[in-house]
Amino acid sequence: MTGSTLPSSSPDGQPGAAAPEALGRAGALVTPAIDEAVRRLGPELRLPAQHHLQGGGKRVRAALVLLSAAAVGADERVGVVGAVAIELVHNYSLIHDDIIDEDRERRHRPTTWVEFGIGSAIVAGDALSTLALQVLLEDATAERVGATVSLAAATQAMIAGQAEDMAFESRPSVTVEECIRMEEGKTGALLSCAASLGAILAGAPARTVQALADFGSHLGTAFQAVDDMLGIWGDPAVTGKPVGSDLLRRKKTLPLATALARDDEVAVDLRELLAGELDEAAVLRAATLLDRSGVRDEMRTFADEHLRKAAEALDRVPLRPGPKAELLGIAHYVAARDR
Amino acid sequence: MTGSTLPSSSPDGQPGAAAPEALGRAGALVTPAIDEAVRRLGPELRLPAQHHLQGGGKRVRAALVLLSAAAVGADERVGVVGAVAIELVHNYSLIHDDIIDEDRERRHRPTTWVEFGIGSAIVAGDALSTLALQVLLEDATAERVGATVSLAAATQAMIAGQAEDMAFESRPSVTVEECIRMEEGKTGALLSCAASLGAILAGAPARTVQALADFGSHLGTAFQAVDDMLGIWGDPAVTGKPVGSDLLRRKKTLPLATALARDDEVAVDLRELLAGELDEAAVLRAATLLDRSGVRDEMRTFADEHLRKAAEALDRVPLRPGPKAELLGIAHYVAARDR
């Protein structure tokens, strides 16, 4: 979490390219402010929240907020309050998601509900959610109110994405369009908000805010495509999850939805596999089938296309070149985790 | 939930005095607006939220918001957006509390987590929480921003109270002061916010807003004292809960904390009972001990004292007499459930 230009782990803990320097700056500026906000909570809420937050996190969203302020000509510090709020929302969603997905470990530590119980994890998440709002509205300027409205809309879209993701698990199949929409909500909405929140706080014009939001949305789609690939083909030693963990849970991620939508032999075989008992052998076979079908290459192309669209969005408006280059650097960093 | 001056059930379903007419008006004005807001959610969130909301609710908090607008000279309709927001927060907290307390029934229907699963209930609550904020900030006037800040503070205090309540269950004893503070958060904060939110939306002066908030806070304390009595001595046929349900769960409510704080024989016997296995006989014996100790009368006096303070708070500022009388009527109604 401290600033570093050394090769480091990616947002979710996989080793990858050198972490952009902006992440280190964001950590140094934002993490103490997050800690300070959380210290306002009583011990029953503070301890589970701190347990979760101490797991770390690369502050990708925080960095996007700070850079979006700098990109429109403001000091990065203008974005700090938004960065704190968005990290609080992101982390509240992780605490609740771990309960929902029954995940027992995150970043090689017991998840909050495992350590403190489901009840404490629910209320700790609830507290962080409201704290985000309180931090933003502590000084209710027009810019901060605008940021609050943007963050609330993104939070609602994120919750909708999570709810759809859950619903998909019990459905035999979902369309590619449904899957993309779900992932736009679950991952894209908060990243889109992050990439524009600093500009909102800096009072940038609506066109500029929209371009930055579009950048963040495409970045989110690319990130999620890579994350989906890791959930199927990721090395357990690297991801910290079992082989084919998403397949094991019958998660209808984009690679799977894409393969199932085809009217070919692989789709037939996959459907058969998913209808039966899913042991490790079946999961491995499904991963191999998906690879053979070419879906893996297709996902890589899909991610690259959205990275390109992310860059194009930034070209639509005048931005300061330094922060703009750093925004692009973050986009490539988070979408390059399997290279 | 429809308007009625006939004898009706109290906020939590116990038969009692005639429901104040203001509750019926609030239901007619606010319930359709709540339904409309919830219809914006996707089906995965809407269905569990609607399941919970269809259980009803007396709209006490909504009525307080509308009356606090009317009491400062505004039209009740000025308060509707605040009433919707506060009912959304109240109901989100009930959905989460039912998971936390492992309550399987509410108002004689399966709770949301029992019907839809824990995960769906968590995200449905999360969605209502954010929806409350979105409804208030749809038109970000200074008054609405002020209302949002007030609601966020009350929500955070409510969450803190819930977290303390949970923590108390596993502690051998709590002080009377700790117990009162916990209940002020858990119940009082949102009622205090409700009783002043309409005045905030109507642009009333800070002194008036504070007087109304104090009224709501004392009302909350009185209400909780009565609720605590019902949790120990309430008739299961009326409360829908087992005899001594709060004792069975070792909840450190005010009557129990008060009795345990005394240095007498009852305290010794109670401590012994609570240290052992709590079967129905032990719970009945504890309830009898508490009754014999005089705690029941003390609670009634405590509730009456806070009702008196609630009324005094309203006398501190000029208010319209009609709405003021209706505010007092609601206070007496919610605090008279065992008479």
Side-chain angles (χ1 to χ4, degrees):
Chain A
M1 255 180 323
T2 52
S4 167
T5 52
L6 296 171
S8 176
S9 64
S10 85
D12 290 333
Q14 292 84 28
E21 207 251 327
L23 297 182
R25 290 205 314 277
L29 267 174
V30 175
T31 302
I34 294 172
D35 292 345
E36 194 197 313
V38 170
R39 272 199 297 274
R40 289 189 224 163
L41 302 174
E44 296 83 4
L45 298 164
R46 191 176 66 235
L47 296 176
Q50 286 174 334
H51 167 83
H52 170 81
L53 289 165
Q54 277 155 10
K58 270 293 171 189
R59 306 291 181 231
V60 167
R61 290 158 192 81
L64 290 174
V65 178
L66 303 193
L67 287 172
S68 82
V72 301
D75 191 290
E76 280 193 346
R77 286 168 196 280
V78 170
V80 168
V81 70
V84 170
I86 212 150
E87 289 284 341
L88 289 172
V89 167
H90 174 56
N91 283 287
Y92 121 68
S93 79
L94 295 180
I95 292 173
H96 281 189
D97 284 359
D98 284 339
I99 306 170
I100 293 165
D101 293 340
E102 298 179 32
D103 279 330
R104 303 189 62 86
E105 280 205 2
R106 176 177 289 279
R107 300 191 190 108
H108 308 288
R109 297 168 73 239
T111 46
T112 309
W113 70 270
V114 168
E115 192 77 10
F116 291 85
I118 288 179
S120 292
I122 290 175
V123 290
D126 290 347
L128 293 189
S129 159
T130 293
L131 192 57
L133 173 61
Q134 292 182 289
V135 164
L136 269 178
L137 291 182
E138 210 152 40
D139 178 15
T141 60
E143 290 78 14
R144 285 204 187 193
V145 170
T148 307
V149 169
S150 171
L151 183 58
T155 304
Q156 195 66 272
M158 175 191 76
I159 295 166
Q162 169 66 11
E164 282 168 351
D165 194 23
M166 286 163 59
F168 288 0
E169 286 182 36
S170 54
R171 281 173 54 180
S173 70
V174 301
T175 67
V176 170
E177 291 70 30
E178 286 176 317
C179 194
I180 290 176
R181 195 192 58 192
M182 177 274 282
E183 297 193 339
E184 277 173 358
K186 190 175 164 149
T187 313
L190 209 57
L191 284 166
S192 175
C193 178
S196 52
L197 208 59
I200 293 173
L201 288 166
R207 259 191 80 238
T208 307
V209 169
Q210 188 58 55
L212 285 160
D214 289 348
F215 161 80
S217 179
H218 287 298
L219 180 167
T221 302
F223 169 85
Q224 189 59 53
V226 172
D227 200 59
D228 286 349
M229 291 164 76
L230 289 171
I232 294 174
W233 298 289
D235 178 354
V238 174
T239 63
K241 294 175 179 180
V243 178
S245 57
D246 282 352
L247 288 172
L248 203 61
R249 295 157 77 150
R250 300 169 203 273
K251 274 204 180 283
K252 303 302 178 302
T253 58
L254 190 55
L256 187 58
T258 303
L260 288 173
R262 289 181 183 161
D263 202 13
D264 62 6
E265 250 178 73
V266 169
V268 172
D269 291 350
L270 272 173
R271 240 175 249 123
E272 203 174 299
L273 268 173
L274 289 171
E277 197 73 39
L278 275 183
D279 55 14
E280 205 180 317
V283 162
L284 274 174
R285 186 161 147 64
T288 309
L289 276 171
L290 282 167
D291 202 3
R292 205 186 302 152
S293 77
V295 164
R296 195 171 185 166
D297 292 337
E298 204 172 318
M299 283 300 107
R300 192 63 257 177
T301 306
F302 179 82
D304 286 342
E305 190 190 336
H306 280 281
L307 277 182
R308 193 178 46 74
K309 286 185 178 170
E312 283 174 5
L314 294 189
D315 287 335
R316 282 187 351 228
V317 289
L319 296 172
R320 282 176 57 202
K324 180 178 169 177
E326 289 198 270
L327 284 170
L328 289 170
I330 287 182
H332 283 276
Y333 173 70
V334 302
R337 294 184 299 156
D338 71 333
R339 287 195 172 158
Chain B
M1 254 180 321
T2 52
S4 166
T5 51
L6 295 171
S8 175
S9 65
S10 85
D12 290 333
Q14 291 84 29
E21 207 251 328
L23 297 181
R25 290 205 313 278
L29 266 174
V30 175
T31 302
I34 294 172
D35 292 345
E36 195 196 313
V38 170
R39 272 199 297 274
R40 290 189 222 165
L41 303 174
E44 296 83 4
L45 297 164
R46 191 176 66 235
L47 296 176
Q50 286 174 334
H51 168 83
H52 170 81
L53 289 165
Q54 277 155 11
K58 271 292 170 191
R59 306 293 180 228
V60 168
R61 290 157 192 80
L64 291 174
V65 178
L66 303 193
L67 287 172
S68 81
V72 300
D75 191 289
E76 281 194 345
R77 286 170 196 278
V78 170
V80 168
V81 70
V84 170
I86 213 152
E87 289 284 340
L88 288 172
V89 168
H90 174 56
N91 283 286
Y92 121 68
S93 79
L94 295 180
I95 292 173
H96 282 188
D97 284 359
D98 284 339
I99 306 170
I100 293 165
D101 294 340
E102 298 180 32
D103 279 330
R104 302 190 62 86
E105 280 206 0
R106 177 176 290 278
R107 300 190 190 106
H108 307 288
R109 299 167 74 237
T111 46
T112 308
W113 70 271
V114 168
E115 192 77 10
F116 291 86
I118 287 179
S120 292
I122 290 174
V123 291
D126 290 347
L128 293 189
S129 159
T130 294
L131 193 56
L133 173 62
Q134 292 182 289
V135 164
L136 269 178
L137 291 182
E138 210 153 41
D139 178 15
T141 60
E143 290 79 13
R144 285 203 188 193
V145 171
T148 307
V149 169
S150 170
L151 183 58
T155 304
Q156 195 67 272
M158 174 191 78
I159 294 166
Q162 168 67 11
E164 282 168 351
D165 194 24
M166 286 162 59
F168 288 179
E169 285 183 37
S170 54
R171 281 173 53 180
S173 71
V174 300
T175 67
V176 171
E177 292 70 30
E178 285 176 317
C179 194
I180 290 176
R181 194 192 58 192
M182 177 273 283
E183 297 192 339
E184 276 173 359
K186 190 176 162 147
T187 313
L190 209 58
L191 284 166
S192 175
C193 178
S196 52
L197 208 60
I200 293 173
L201 289 167
R207 259 193 79 238
T208 308
V209 169
Q210 189 57 56
L212 285 159
D214 289 347
F215 161 79
S217 180
H218 287 298
L219 180 166
T221 302
F223 169 85
Q224 189 59 53
V226 173
D227 200 58
D228 285 349
M229 291 164 76
L230 289 170
I232 294 173
W233 298 289
D235 179 354
V238 174
T239 64
K241 294 176 178 178
V243 178
S245 56
D246 281 352
L247 289 172
L248 203 61
R249 295 157 77 151
R250 301 168 201 273
K251 274 203 180 284
K252 303 301 177 304
T253 58
L254 190 56
L256 187 58
T258 302
L260 288 174
R262 289 181 184 160
D263 203 14
D264 62 6
E265 248 179 75
V266 170
V268 172
D269 291 350
L270 272 174
R271 241 176 247 123
E272 201 174 301
L273 268 173
L274 289 171
E277 196 74 37
L278 276 183
D279 56 13
E280 205 180 318
V283 163
L284 274 173
R285 186 161 148 62
T288 309
L289 276 171
L290 283 167
D291 202 4
R292 205 185 304 152
S293 78
V295 165
R296 195 172 186 165
D297 291 337
E298 204 172 320
M299 284 300 108
R300 192 63 256 175
T301 305
F302 179 82
D304 287 341
E305 190 190 336
H306 281 281
L307 277 182
R308 192 178 47 74
K309 286 185 179 171
E312 282 174 5
L314 294 189
D315 287 336
R316 286 191 342 234
V317 289
L319 296 172
R320 282 176 56 202
K324 179 178 170 177
E326 289 197 270
L327 285 169
L328 288 170
I330 288 182
H332 284 276
Y333 173 70
V334 302
R337 294 184 299 155
D338 73 332
R339 286 200 174 155

